[in-house]
């Protein structure tokens, strides 16, 4: 029983991070209709960014979230307004999938050239301490990671639901044409949505850096994780990402604990396929209606 | 009276409680051109979708040549002899007109050698020979509709469900389409036609079924239908309802 | 001469030239062309599913890996199956069979997904299979497995594999020609263009999709097994490679997806650029491939064949208008 509880806690902590890593992917999928296979790169780039700031300047990864996310915000905006936009307007949505796949390969290659193929971790002073509650034990980094993830997710939810910007984004997702007729600059909004997604991914990357080892090659896993989270929870909302993320975290933790660590990916994927077949819109549905 | 090729008893369909089709009965005699009319949203396309198996029935039974259709998936129903021409033309845009028709000819029946004749026959029946090697992408609406009929005809059906083949056509094209459906019938195919153009329907159909709000409200010869007060009410009621939206 | 006989004549001529080339070609070019044969055969196999039926798989590398590891384990458990070139026959065929059976098993659920969902589900399949091979000790993906070299004594390996991959490319190409011209091919086209309409026209869509998937997986599995032999020592990362999956799509896209020659032309162009022109930058291989992919999709969405066709259409339109004007 204790083991089960401990595993559950670990799973939930991991799930919070999955949720944060996926929310940008979910937003971009919901608003722009694009499956962005570069998403994992944003996550890993965030982790490398935090790594550099930590090793070179001794900046704590949690503080590094701010500059790393800011940089990726700009990169994401430019990327959407140029390459992604061109791919969609000149070719097709499926072609944009290939384009993002191609860019992911390039970026992965570039990261490998810059940092080598080795696995890295970020180790701030608190990385080895843990909290205990009776027999339960939880690493401080996980608590910190979960808290930071929840904070950012809530912030995003508030922005989407309460601000003019958020309403504009939701309007654009439902009816791009109508939104532009109402005077919204849809292109710019798409760019900003994409940029926010990239920033969230980078922020999650900085947190992942302290919780888990990472390498350039792990980008695919993070893209797939984001996709699974979206399929589990539903498209386009922070709440959906949170539900999906926590579920994925639990699946991962239970499989690793009770079946075998080699099978976590297989279990996650099995759930993905089952979910796609049984409930293609995810547990919370598509936040933007059945537009796509 | 000739044999009944398609019959429905108590055919019903609801979508999450919304009753799209309620308790509709029909008997389509072999070799006839039958009409199905009704105001917008009456459930005509839904009824066709039930017959082709796109949706499962909620209740009732549809029999084709005395065989219950419910266990058959869509493609089997086609192979059994039910073809459908869509309201919104759905050609395969990258293929030529002939290739489009060939797809129908190949899977409706056995070998490919035999099907080349079918393709030519279908082309001739609708009068698309001149456009045979063009890709479907650039065709006019009139030609697309003919292609739609030709492709369905090429599956060698015994029953063709034609969903508003004249919608959006000009008077000349409409007359051509009516002619084209007559030729299809001459090849021994029973035609069941959904149509808005009353002139086209009354000129071509032997008998007509009228549905409104998912229910059958009348059935009879064109003359009877045109004079039926229930039908007139259903159609005259429509513009008033629309004004209320 | 009809275009059909011309096509056959050109193909036969190319095969003859290809058969004689290694006699006076140096090792470098033999190796490049061997790689071309292998990659083109993969692209042709991918195209049967992705190009003809429109189900783009982003995870076909799974079958390369599965094919290679199947062959290696088969030889280790039950082999050797003779020596020299003939020792390859049973393991390679078995590898194809295993991949085909695996594809048939996952086909029913996974082919119900359409568009991007199918694409990503396949990416997931490749990731999971790779992970399992790597982490489940029995598969030895982490430590690696050996395959006995089948190269006959006195023959240079690159020449040997040149012929093997060349033959497999020819086989794949002929199969895809046969598929294209048969009912099967028309069924796949109809599915690609509009699956619901296809069903309405009597096409048993489910069955044809599964057939295409299984056929494509079988071919890739056989290619993977031979690739395994050519490498000799395999770990997970030598065969379960994402860039394999990407390349298959990209080669088809560049040449013209869904066409017969497109995958081959696309592979030729890409390999010429990456292996010959830019051979000094092999560690930047992915970077260059990615850049070319992005550029080509943005500039020529229909691939080389598409661009060529639209050029031809334009010039014939032009000719028509000139003629019309002259007639006036």
């Amino acid at each position: 029983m204790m083991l089960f509880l401990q595993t559950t806690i670990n799973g939930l902590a991991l799930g919070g991070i999955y949720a944060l890593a996926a929310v940008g992917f979910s937003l971009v999928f919901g608003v722009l209709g694009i499956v962005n296979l570069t998403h994992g790169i944003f996550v890993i780039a965030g982790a490398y960014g935090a790594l550099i700031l930590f090793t070179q300047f001794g900046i704590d990864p949690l503080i590094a979230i701010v500059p790393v996310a800011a940089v990726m915000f700009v990169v994401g905006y430019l990327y959407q307004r140029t390459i992604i936009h061109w791919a969609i307007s000149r070719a097709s949505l499926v072609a944009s999938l290939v384009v993002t796949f191609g860019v992911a390969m390039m970026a992965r290659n570039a990261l490998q050239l810059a940092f080598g193929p080795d696995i890295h971790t970020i180790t701030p002073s608190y990385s080895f301490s843990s909290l205990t509650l009776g027999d339960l034990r939880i690493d401080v980094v996980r608590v910190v990671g979960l808290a930071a993830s929840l904070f950012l997710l809530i912030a995003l939810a508030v922005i989407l639901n309460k601000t003019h910007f958020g309403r504009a984004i939701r309007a654009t997702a439902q009816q791009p044409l109508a939104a532009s007729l109402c005077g919204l600059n849809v292109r710019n909004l798409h760019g900003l949505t994409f940029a926010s997604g990239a920033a969230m991914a980078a922020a999650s990357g900085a947190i992942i850096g302290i919780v888990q080892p990472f390498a350039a090659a792990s980008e695919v896993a993070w893209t797939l994780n984001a996709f699974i989270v979206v399929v589990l929870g539903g498209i386009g909302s922070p709440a959906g990402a949170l539900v999906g993320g926590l579920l994925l975290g639990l699946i991962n933790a239970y499989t690793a604990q009770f079946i075998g660590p080699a099978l976590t990916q297989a279990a996650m994927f099995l759930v993905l396929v089952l979910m796609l077949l049984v409930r293609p819109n995810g547990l919370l549905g598509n936040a933007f209606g059945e537009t796509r | 009276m000739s044999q009944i090729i398609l019959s429905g008893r108590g055919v019903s369909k609801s979508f999450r409680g919304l009753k799209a089709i309620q308790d509709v009965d029909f008997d389509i005699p072999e070799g006839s051109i039958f009409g199905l009319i009704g105001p917008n949203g009456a459930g005509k396309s839904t009824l066709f979708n039930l017959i082709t198996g796109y949706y499962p029935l909620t209740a009732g039974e549809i029999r084709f040549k005395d065989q219950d259709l419910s266990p058959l998936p869509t493609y089997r129903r086609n192979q059994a002899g039910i073809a459908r021409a869509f309201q919104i033309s759905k050609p395969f845009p990258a293929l030529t007109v002939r290739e489009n028709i060939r797809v129908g000819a190949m899977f409706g029946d056995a070998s490919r050698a035999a099907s080349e004749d079918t393709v030519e026959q279908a082309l001739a029946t609708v009068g698309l020979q001149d456009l045979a090697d063009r890709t479907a992408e650039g065709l006019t609406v009139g030609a697309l509709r003919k292609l739609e009929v030709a492709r369905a005809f090429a599956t060698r059906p015994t029953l063709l469900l034609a969903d508003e083949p004249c919608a959006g056509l000009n008077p000349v094209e409409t007359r051509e389409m009516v002619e084209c459906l007559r030729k299809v019938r001459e090849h021994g195919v029973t035609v069941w036609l959904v149509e808005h153009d009353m002139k086209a329907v009354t000129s071509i159909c032997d008998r007509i079924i009228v549905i409104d709000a998912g229910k059958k409200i009348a059935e009879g010869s064109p003359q009877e239908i045109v004079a039926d007060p229930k039908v007139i009410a259903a159609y005259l009621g429509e513009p008033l309802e629309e004004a209320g939206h | 001469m009809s275009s059909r006989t011309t096509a056959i004549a050109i193909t036969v001529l190319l095969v003859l030239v290809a058969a004689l080339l290694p006699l006076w070609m140096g090792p470098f070019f033999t190796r490049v062309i061997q790689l071309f044969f292998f990659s083109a055969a993969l692209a042709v196999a991918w195209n049967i599913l992705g190009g003809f039926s429109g189900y783009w798989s982003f995870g076909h590398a799974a079958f390369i890996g599965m094919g290679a590891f199947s062959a290696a384990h088969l030889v280790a458990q039950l082999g050797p199956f003779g020596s020299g070139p003939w020792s390859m026959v049973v393991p390679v065929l078995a590898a194809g069979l295993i991949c085909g059976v695996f594809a048939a098993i996952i086909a029913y659920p996974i082919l119900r997904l359409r568009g991007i969902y199918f694409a990503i589900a396949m990416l997931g399949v490749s990731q999971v299979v790779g992970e399992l091979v790597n982490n489940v000790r029995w598969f030895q993906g982490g430590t690696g497995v050996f395959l006995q070299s089948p190269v006959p004594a006195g023959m240079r390996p690159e020449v040997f594999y040149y012929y093997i991959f060349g033959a497999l490319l020819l086989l794949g190409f002929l199969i895809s020609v046969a598929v294209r011209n048969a009912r099967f091919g028309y069924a796949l086209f109809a599915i690609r263009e509009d699956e619901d309409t296809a069903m309405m026209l009597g096409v048993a869509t489910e069955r044809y999709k599964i057939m295409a998937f299984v056929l494509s997986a079988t071919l890739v599995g056989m290619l993977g097994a031979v690739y395994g032999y050519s490498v000799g020592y395999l770990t997970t990362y030598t065969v379960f490679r994402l860039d394999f999956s990407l390349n298959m799509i990209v080669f088809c896209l560049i040449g013209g997806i869904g066409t017969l020659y497109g995958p081959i032309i696309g592979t030729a162009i890409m390999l010429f650029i990456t292996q010959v022109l830019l051979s000094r930058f092999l560690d930047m291989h992915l970077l260059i491939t990615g850049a070319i992919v992005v550029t080509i999709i943005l500039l020529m969405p229909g691939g080389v064949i598409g661009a060529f066709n639209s050029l031809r259409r334009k010039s014939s339109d032009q000719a028509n208008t000139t003629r019309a004007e002259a007639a006036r």
Side-chain angles (χ1 to χ4, degrees):
Chain A
M1 191 58 215
M2 221 49 202
L3 180 65
F4 181 76
L5 212 59
Q6 176 74 55
T7 314
T8 308
I9 289 174
N10 290 347
L12 290 176
L14 190 59
I17 298 164
Y18 281 144
L20 182 62
V23 72
F25 181 87
S26 169
L27 204 58
V28 168
F29 194 5
V31 178
L32 283 76
I34 296 171
V35 170
N36 173 23
L37 295 183
T38 327
H39 191 79
I41 292 286
F42 295 156
V43 175
I44 295 299
Y48 276 116
L51 177 71
I52 296 174
L53 291 176
F54 180 70
T55 50
Q56 304 290 317
F57 307 103
I59 297 173
D60 187 278
L62 291 176
I63 297 166
I65 286 180
V66 178
V68 164
V71 170
M72 284 315 286
F73 186 89
V74 176
V75 172
Y77 185 81
L78 295 176
Y79 177 42
Q80 195 281 332
R81 289 303 296 270
T82 53
I83 294 175
I84 301 244
H85 177 70
W86 292 335
I88 290 175
S89 57
R90 292 188 200 183
S92 61
L93 272 179
V94 191
S96 77
L97 195 64
V98 182
V99 165
T100 58
F101 202 20
V103 172
M105 292 281 150
M106 287 167 67
R108 178 184 185 169
N109 198 180
L111 286 174
Q112 274 168 345
L113 288 176
F115 298 96
D118 303 336
I119 292 172
H120 295 274
T121 43
I122 306 174
T123 46
S125 54
Y126 47 86
S127 47
F128 299 109
S129 45
S130 57
L131 303 172
T132 48
L133 186 78
D135 288 340
L136 290 177
R137 193 176 141 274
I138 180 162
D139 299 339
V140 170
V141 281
R142 293 196 177 212
V143 178
V144 169
L146 181 61
S149 297
L150 288 177
F151 174 74
L152 287 170
L153 282 171
I154 291 168
L156 182 65
V158 170
I159 289 172
L160 280 178
N161 287 315
K162 301 284 183 221
T163 65
H164 176 73
F165 173 65
R167 274 192 293 275
I169 284 185
R170 286 185 294 147
T172 314
Q174 277 157 10
Q175 284 294 339
L177 184 64
S180 69
L181 289 175
C182 293
L184 294 175
N185 183 343
V186 171
R187 286 184 180 189
N188 190 39
L189 278 170
H190 278 177
L192 290 174
T193 308
F194 200 95
S196 314
M200 285 290 181
S204 78
I207 299 171
I208 287 164
I210 48 176
V211 180
Q212 279 193 355
F214 63 93
S218 23
E219 56 96 7
V220 201
W222 285 103
T223 303
L224 278 174
N225 284 347
F227 188 74
I228 299 175
V229 166
V230 168
V231 169
L232 286 179
I235 296 169
S237 69
L242 188 61
V243 170
L246 293 178
L247 269 176
L248 188 65
L250 288 175
I251 294 165
N252 192 319
Y254 290 143
T255 317
Q257 185 65 48
F258 300 114
I259 303 176
L263 296 172
T264 51
Q265 282 263 347
M268 281 154 67
F269 180 71
L270 195 68
V271 173
L272 166 77
V273 172
L274 287 179
M275 197 65 196
L276 280 173
L277 294 176
V278 178
R279 236 195 120 132
N281 275 333
L283 289 178
L284 298 194
N286 183 340
F288 305 116
E290 295 183 307
T291 43
R292 292 186 174 93
Chain B
M1 196 81 190
S2 55
Q3 272 208 305
I4 299 300
I5 187 165
L6 182 78
S7 69
R9 288 293 171 267
V11 173
S12 306
K13 175 71 193 175
S14 40
F15 297 102
R16 291 183 187 166
L18 176 79
K19 290 172 181 156
I21 296 285
Q22 287 180 62
D23 212 12
V24 172
D25 294 347
F26 50 83
D27 286 296
I28 312 298
E30 194 164 4
S32 61
I33 295 186
F34 220 83
L36 175 63
I37 62 173
N40 278 329
K44 296 167 300 214
S45 293
T46 308
L47 185 55
F48 274 17
N49 279 331
L50 292 172
I51 298 170
T52 53
Y54 196 75
Y55 304 132
L57 287 176
T58 309
E61 186 187 45
I62 301 175
R63 299 183 79 82
F64 179 65
K65 295 178 183 165
D66 269 336
Q67 183 192 8
D68 180 16
L69 281 180
S70 56
L72 299 184
T74 302
Y75 76 92
R76 286 258 181 239
R77 296 186 192 202
N78 176 276
Q79 288 169 351
I82 301 177
R84 172 174 187 180
F86 283 95
Q87 176 177 5
I88 300 155
S89 300
K90 291 183 173 175
F92 305 127
L95 304 183
T96 66
V97 168
R98 181 177 273 119
E99 284 172 330
N100 261 283
I101 297 176
R102 192 176 289 148
V103 172
M106 268 181 179
F107 296 95
D109 210 333
S111 73
R112 189 183 170 192
S115 72
E116 278 316 296
D117 297 338
T118 316
V119 173
E120 296 309 318
Q121 194 186 36
L123 277 169
T125 306
V126 300
L128 276 178
Q129 298 99 317
D130 296 343
L131 298 174
D133 294 314
R134 290 269 210 95
T135 53
E137 225 161 2
L139 297 181
T140 62
V141 187
L144 279 175
R145 284 285 158 68
K146 286 184 189 169
L147 172 57
E148 192 66 34
V149 171
R151 197 173 57 179
F153 177 68
T155 64
R156 276 164 284 181
T158 39
L159 172 69
L160 172 68
L161 304 173
D163 200 347
E164 300 206 30
C166 303
L169 301 188
N170 65 35
V172 180
E173 289 170 330
T174 303
R175 217 173 312 129
E176 283 178 5
M177 179 51 73
V178 166
E179 219 25 65
C180 167
L181 292 173
R182 283 219 174 90
K183 277 196 211 157
V184 168
R185 193 241 305 251
E186 279 164 27
H187 283 99
V189 180
T190 309
V191 177
W192 195 3
L193 173 73
V194 169
E195 192 45 72
H196 258 310
D197 188 329
M198 282 303 268
K199 204 170 148 230
V201 179
T202 47
S203 72
I204 189 176
C205 292
D206 308 319
R207 259 179 104 72
I208 296 172
I209 286 181
V210 189
I211 58 174
D212 183 28
K215 289 188 190 131
K216 180 161 118 177
I217 57 169
E219 180 177 345
S221 68
Q223 292 75 13
E224 290 165 356
I225 291 300
V226 173
D228 192 318
K230 269 185 289 179
V231 178
I232 296 167
Y235 268 87
L236 286 183
E238 194 188 11
L240 290 178
E241 274 174 25
E242 258 176 9
H245 282 302
Chain C
M1 211 164 30
S2 77
S3 66
R4 184 160 189 179
T5 34
T6 326
I8 292 174
I10 290 175
T11 310
V12 170
L13 197 74
L14 280 177
V15 170
L16 281 178
V17 170
L20 296 175
L21 262 181
L23 292 180
W24 58 81
M25 209 165 39
F28 174 73
F29 278 102
T30 313
R31 221 168 287 131
V32 169
I33 296 186
Q34 171 213 316
L35 183 63
F36 160 67
F37 286 158
F38 171 59
S39 310
L42 287 176
V44 165
W46 184 90
N47 191 49
I48 291 176
L49 178 71
F52 292 172
S53 77
Y55 276 73
W56 291 29
S57 159
F58 276 53
H60 254 41
F63 301 117
I64 301 182
M66 208 182 286
F69 271 89
S70 301
H73 283 295
L74 203 71
V75 173
Q77 303 290 324
L78 307 171
F81 300 89
S83 65
W86 297 110
S87 68
M88 287 170 78
V89 174
V90 173
V92 168
L93 289 179
L97 185 73
I98 289 169
C99 287
V101 169
F102 177 77
I105 292 169
I106 65 169
Y108 183 73
I110 216 165
L111 282 169
R112 303 187 66 149
L113 307 173
R114 291 187 185 180
I116 43 179
Y117 288 96
F118 174 77
I120 303 219
M122 280 306 298
L123 185 62
V125 167
S126 72
Q127 186 75 8
V128 168
V129 177
E131 200 92 355
L132 288 180
V133 169
N134 202 44
N135 296 342
V136 175
R137 191 170 305 149
W138 189 86
F139 291 115
Q140 301 172 35
T143 49
V145 285
F146 285 96
L147 267 169
Q148 185 73 43
S149 170
V151 181
M155 194 171 190
R156 297 205 313 268
E158 69 267 17
V159 176
F160 175 75
Y161 288 110
Y162 174 100
Y163 284 117
I164 301 280
F165 283 125
L168 283 172
L169 170 60
L170 186 65
L171 175 74
F173 177 71
L174 293 178
I175 288 177
S176 91
V177 171
V179 167
R180 203 209 133 110
N181 290 328
R183 271 161 64 95
F184 188 12
Y186 274 89
L188 296 180
F189 286 157
I191 288 168
R192 179 184 71 193
E193 299 291 325
D194 187 332
E195 201 161 334
D196 294 327
T197 306
M199 236 184 279
M200 211 70 85
L201 292 171
V203 179
T205 49
E206 200 84 47
R207 191 173 70 215
Y208 285 111
K209 282 191 301 190
I210 292 177
M211 278 163 64
F213 188 47
V214 169
L215 178 60
S216 178
T218 307
L219 288 173
V220 174
M222 287 166 61
L223 286 160
V226 177
Y227 182 76
Y229 274 105
S230 77
V231 176
Y233 170 69
L234 307 169
T235 65
T236 316
Y237 299 108
T238 31
V239 279
F240 287 97
R241 279 167 44 181
L242 263 190
D243 57 318
F244 278 146
S245 291
L246 177 68
N247 280 342
M248 285 183 242
I249 308 168
V250 167
F251 295 158
C252 291
L253 257 181
I254 287 171
I257 216 154
T259 60
L260 284 178
Y261 300 98
I264 301 175
I265 295 172
T267 312
I269 295 172
M270 278 300 283
L271 286 187
F272 183 72
I273 296 174
T274 54
Q275 300 293 317
V276 181
L277 290 184
L278 302 171
S279 57
R280 270 180 300 155
F281 306 102
L282 275 185
D283 55 342
M284 292 165 69
H285 195 154
L286 280 178
L287 203 94
I288 295 165
T289 313
I292 298 173
V293 171
V294 174
T295 321
I296 293 215
I297 291 182
L298 295 182
L299 295 183
M300 300 192 292
V304 172
I305 289 191
F308 178 73
N309 281 344
S310 69
L311 266 182
R312 205 170 50 175
R313 213 173 301 140
K314 256 181 223 153
S315 60
S316 79
D317 282 356
Q318 217 160 28
N320 285 342
T321 42
T322 346
R323 224 173 291 142
E325 274 160 17
R328 233 187 280 152

